[in-house]
């Protein structure tokens, strides 16, 4: 076996970043904000990257990494192409999950819920804040569609760059989604694989909080 494969198999490191106790708030967003800030402050790579899983009409799941871009009071916002693979999944099945991994703190965060498109105003405002290259790219890339060759994309970039020499408007097929959670699980790695798992689940009109076995 290759050396590195052998090393990975025999790596039995423990998680030892402290415990998750005494934080059974009324709702999960306070703890999310605390964890998110700690991940950001610790300067680890890509603290706002998460895995978004969607399910298509034939019940086939797929996942990909996205950036969390905004936090509403009780919703998580990301931006993408509405015609993409994920966009088509979400059109037919609004259930999705988000997964963050913050290795610096030995933490995993699972979020499950339902998505909705954000308003045009909100998508416009975020689109406006992007660099010109990304704006042109949003027009040029038919995200998730087959691309015959790279040149086709490069030519479309040139085409849209000349079509919009100044302001680049937001393409109608590009914008944000907000995910409203019905379940949030905070996972704190602990020694001997005896991790803490604290789950917030929305039931009727309030959050139920419980632990799960690791
Ligand atoms: C670190 C990282 C961040 C990404 N952020 C986004 C994003 O915010 N929006 C997006 O549409 N794609 C993003 N992508 C690309 C997606 O992972 C994916 O390739 C793309 O959205 C097409 O996915 P789909 O065909 O499943 O719809 C990111 C990829 C990486 C590795």
């Amino acid at each position: 076996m290759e050396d590195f494969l052998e090393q990975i198999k025999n790596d039995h490191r423990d998680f030892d970043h402290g415990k998750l106790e005494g934080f059974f708030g009324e709702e999960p967003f306070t703890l999310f904000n605390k964890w998110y800030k700690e991940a950001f402050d610790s300067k680890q790579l890509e603290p706002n990257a998460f895995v978004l899983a969607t399910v298509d009409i034939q019940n086939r799941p797929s996942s990909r990494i996205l950036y969390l871009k905004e936090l509403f009071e009780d919703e998580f916002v990301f931006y993408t192409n509405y015609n993409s693979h994920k966009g088509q999944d979400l059109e037919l099945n609004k259930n999705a999950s988000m997964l963050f991994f913050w290795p610096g703190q030995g933490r995993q965060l699972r979020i499950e819920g339902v998505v909705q498109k954000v308003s045009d105003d909100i998508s416009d405002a975020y689109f406006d804040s992007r660099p010109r290259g990304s704006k042109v790219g949003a027009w040029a890339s038919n995200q998730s569609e087959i691309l015959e060759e790279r040149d086709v994309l490069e030519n479309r970039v040139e085409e849209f760059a000349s079509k919009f020499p100044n302001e680049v408007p937001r393409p109608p097929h590009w914008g944000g989604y907000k995910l409203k959670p019905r379940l949030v699980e905070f996972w704190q790695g602990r020694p001997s694989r005896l991790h803490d798992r604290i789950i917030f689940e929305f039931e009727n009109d309030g959050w139920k909080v419980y632990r799960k076995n690791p």
Side-chain angles (χ1 to χ4, degrees):
M1 200 191 288
E2 291 235 25
D3 267 4
F4 84 96
L5 293 176
E6 195 66 34
Q7 271 181 41
I8 287 173
K9 189 173 158 201
N10 294 320
D11 181 358
H12 301 296
R13 264 175 310 168
D14 250 347
F15 290 92
D16 199 3
H17 300 269
K19 49 192 167 187
L20 175 51
E21 262 182 5
F23 207 108
F24 293 80
E26 299 284 299
E27 44 94 332
F29 305 101
T30 325
L31 186 51
F32 176 85
N33 287 332
K34 180 176 182 290
W35 276 27
Y36 197 35
K37 182 168 185 335
E38 284 171 2
F40 180 80
D41 287 346
S42 69
K43 307 257 183 285
Q44 65 196 280
L45 286 175
E46 312 280 23
N48 64 327
F50 66 94
V51 176
L52 176 81
T54 57
V55 174
D56 74 8
I57 189 110
Q58 287 164 285
N59 279 334
R60 293 177 303 202
S62 64
S63 50
R64 73 290 286 153
I65 299 207
L66 300 180
Y67 285 134
L68 179 68
K69 278 293 167 179
E70 281 171 77
L71 279 172
F72 295 164
E73 200 178 309
D74 58 356
E75 287 161 321
F76 303 90
V77 179
F78 53 90
Y79 289 89
T80 193
N81 184 312
Y82 290 142
N83 297 334
S84 63
H85 180 145
K86 71 185 96 49
Q88 292 185 27
D89 283 1
L90 292 172
E91 195 60 40
L92 298 169
N93 181 352
K94 307 228 167 306
N95 291 288
S97 83
M98 300 172 68
L99 178 73
F100 290 86
F101 174 41
W102 293 311
Q105 288 71 36
R107 287 173 177 167
Q108 169 180 247
L109 186 86
R110 293 165 70 158
I111 303 173
E112 294 170 17
V114 166
V115 300
Q116 266 189 300
K117 287 179 182 167
V118 302
S119 70
D120 285 347
D121 285 354
I122 287 171
S123 287
D124 284 344
Y126 175 65
F127 190 79
D128 268 359
S129 76
R130 306 180 89 208
R132 179 178 163 79
S134 307
K135 290 181 181 171
V136 172
W139 281 99
S141 166
N142 293 322
Q143 193 177 55
S144 314
E145 282 184 23
I146 288 176
L147 180 62
E148 293 307 332
E149 47 182 331
R150 177 87 196 177
D151 279 356
V152 175
L153 177 64
E154 310 275 354
N155 293 340
R156 281 175 61 83
V157 169
E158 277 179 30
E159 181 192 319
F160 285 104
S162 24
K163 182 165 178 192
F164 304 119
N166 305 307
E167 293 283 286
V168 185
R170 177 176 63 89
H173 57 263
W174 192 99
Y177 287 103
K178 51 186 182 180
L179 184 141
K180 193 177 183 73
R182 55 161 194 83
L183 186 142
V184 183
E185 175 186 326
F186 296 87
W187 184 101
Q188 175 71 67
R190 301 272 313 264
S192 305
R193 304 295 188 258
L194 300 175
H195 318 298
D196 284 326
R197 299 178 69 184
I198 308 290
I199 291 92
F200 289 75
E201 191 175 354
F202 199 81
E203 269 194 357
N204 304 319
D205 54 359
W207 289 97
K208 197 170 83 174
V209 189
Y210 52 89
R211 277 184 186 269
K212 268 188 182 174
N213 277 271

